[in-house]
Amino acid sequence: MMMKDAERNEDLLSLNPQAGLGRLADQTGGFMIRDTNDARAGFRQIAQDMRFHYVLGYTPTNQDYDGRFRKVSVKLVRRSGLEVQSRKGYFALKPGGTTPILPYEAPVVALLDRGGPAAQAFPLHTTALVFPAAGANSQVPVLVQVPGTAVKYVPDPSQKDVLAADLAVVVRIRNEFQQEVSRLSQHFQLSTPAAKLKNAQGGDILFYRQADLPAGRYTAQAIAYDATAKAASLKTFNLEVPPASGASLSTLVIISRIEKVSTSERDPRNPLYYGDAIVYPSMGEPFSKSVTKALGFFFSARDPQPGQRAVLEVAKSGQLVGQLPLDLPAPNADGVIQSAGALPLANFAPGDYELRLSLLSGSQKLASRTAPFTVTE
């Protein structure tokens, strides 16, 4: 369910004081107070450190911003008997960034900063959706899909007959002024018994993160980096978030599949939940009539107006080939209408199509969304 096991492992690491706060203290020259109910000694140390501290800075002569960690050592040469607490080093990235860099993000951000031809070491599928929220910002789920066969597994030195892989996915979102306004990322540290490698590679690795963005036009860069193979794939796409106003309409989502989710596992912040299921959006894959009998779609609308209705149209090569009025359900307690449906594919000739959704009030079109899809035999 949206790679929940990988996310839970990541959350457990973040919540473990020794893995999170301990690593932060060690890398920045601090110390960690733990395993005690008496914090007085620790606070005395903090008070003393605040009285005796210095700020040092320098400009590196090595201008190769490759994202690697460069160690820094601070030594006292004229006085003895003193202990120095300082940061361990820094990541070699171009100056100017304001968002803290996580260790696994550094080589990926360095690749993004270098520019040049887009890396395409393996297939990469991306999509970004927009769901109007109650405030000024909209919810923007971003999904990145990497084939399981694209990741390189090598023997894990800490475990016998176990293979491991190391994949980082980073999505950087910039505004019209090329300023980074959001960075979404996840570190996939994967392992499998050597005998089950084919099973591990049989599925896809799905990245899901959500940004909250105000109205505007954005450029998103999604990159997946295989740290073991030193290989990456990059995809750049444009993203437009419409102004939050009356009769706000979400992205028209073409459904790849749905999955039922128990009440205890549902995330109320995720706009892709519909009833007792979660919707997996299509990542652009064609729909085979022999495999998929119907094309599913999903959307939501916020702050509906009286007499509001919806019409769904299907176009091929710019020509209208079908139209379907939709009955909109009543809004929920948050003022949101959720609607889903399906179109039988039996009568669709192979080819490229466009699904068009219009939100109407009388003869006035309040909002519209489109979604392309492809049908094969």
Side-chain angles (χ1 to χ4, degrees):
M1 185 181 67
M2 295 294 184
M3 296 296 290
K4 65 178 182 179
D5 291 334
E7 291 182 1
R8 283 175 178 169
N9 289 340
E10 186 180 70
D11 291 340
L12 288 174
L13 289 172
S14 300
L15 293 172
N16 181 346
Q18 295 186 33
L21 295 177
R23 184 169 62 246
L24 175 64
D26 178 68
Q27 293 177 352
T28 58
F31 63 94
M32 183 176 177
I33 305 169
R34 67 178 190 183
D35 300 332
T36 180
N37 290 326
D38 185 1
R40 287 176 294 181
F43 279 107
R44 281 196 297 268
Q45 180 68 43
I46 293 173
Q48 185 178 22
D49 287 354
M50 291 177 66
R51 292 177 59 195
F52 305 103
H53 71 274
Y54 301 85
V55 178
L56 303 177
Y58 72 99
T59 301
T61 57
N62 184 353
Q63 300 295 309
D64 181 14
Y65 300 108
D66 57 6
R68 294 184 181 181
F69 187 78
R70 297 178 182 171
K71 294 182 179 180
V72 172
S73 177
V74 180
K75 299 178 181 180
L76 299 176
V77 297
R78 294 189 179 182
R79 296 186 63 179
S80 60
L82 298 179
E83 180 182 351
V84 176
Q85 292 177 213
S86 66
R87 63 187 296 179
K88 302 294 185 182
Y90 67 97
F91 291 104
L93 297 170
K94 287 185 177 180
T98 58
T99 306
I101 296 286
L102 297 172
Y104 68 84
E105 292 180 339
V108 187
V109 173
L111 287 173
L112 291 174
D113 287 341
R114 287 180 180 178
Q120 295 296 335
F122 43 80
L124 190 68
H125 302 286
T126 63
T127 189
L129 315 170
V130 178
F131 288 83
N137 291 359
S138 291
Q139 296 174 300
V140 183
V142 180
L143 294 91
V144 179
Q145 184 175 287
V146 180
T149 53
V151 182
K152 183 177 181 179
Y153 283 83
V154 296
D156 187 338
S158 64
Q159 302 182 74
K160 184 179 180 181
D161 297 328
V162 172
L163 301 176
D166 190 325
L167 180 74
V169 177
V170 176
V171 178
R172 181 162 67 181
I173 302 175
R174 289 176 164 175
N175 61 17
E176 294 177 275
F177 306 102
Q178 294 305 302
Q179 298 168 323
E180 181 180 290
V181 296
S182 182
R183 188 191 314 133
L184 314 171
S185 69
Q186 186 168 345
H187 192 196
F188 296 92
Q189 294 176 294
L190 311 171
S191 64
T192 179
K196 296 184 178 180
L197 176 59
K198 287 188 177 181
N199 292 337
Q201 293 179 319
D204 294 325
I205 299 169
L206 182 63
F207 165 94
Y208 176 92
R209 283 291 184 268
Q210 185 174 299
D212 294 319
L213 300 175
R217 298 177 184 273
Y218 301 90
T219 301
Q221 293 174 297
I223 185 168
Y225 177 69
D226 186 336
T228 303
K230 299 294 188 295
S233 283
L234 168 68
K235 184 164 286 188
T236 301
F237 55 95
N238 295 323
L239 172 64
E240 182 175 356
V241 179
S245 59
S248 298
L249 187 61
S250 77
T251 299
L252 176 58
V253 179
I254 302 293
I255 300 175
S256 174
R257 63 187 179 90
I258 62 172
E259 181 179 344
K260 286 194 173 183
V261 183
S262 65
T263 303
S264 61
E265 291 185 305
R266 294 176 200 166
D267 183 355
R269 300 166 298 176
N270 190 330
L272 292 174
Y273 280 97
Y274 179 68
D276 62 352
I278 188 169
V279 171
Y280 284 79
S282 167
M283 307 290 281
E285 67 274 12
F287 292 87
S288 170
K289 294 197 297 181
S290 61
V291 177
T292 305
K293 302 305 179 183
L295 179 85
F297 60 88
F298 168 75
F299 66 91
S300 68
R302 177 173 286 278
D303 301 324
Q305 298 182 13
Q308 186 171 287
R309 58 191 177 89
V311 173
L312 192 71
E313 298 176 332
V314 181
K316 184 180 182 183
S317 301
Q319 300 297 316
L320 186 66
V321 296
Q323 188 179 71
L324 177 69
L326 299 177
D327 293 326
L328 295 177
N332 60 22
D334 296 323
V336 176
I337 290 176
Q338 286 188 311
S339 182
L343 300 175
L345 290 178
N347 295 326
F348 279 73
D352 296 327
Y353 292 84
E354 183 179 65
L355 205 59
R356 302 171 179 173
L357 174 68
S358 297
L359 203 59
L360 307 172
S361 179
S363 59
Q364 180 185 6
K365 182 181 292 187
L366 303 176
S368 62
R369 299 290 183 267
T370 62
F373 66 96
T374 300
V375 177
T376 64
E377 288 292 351

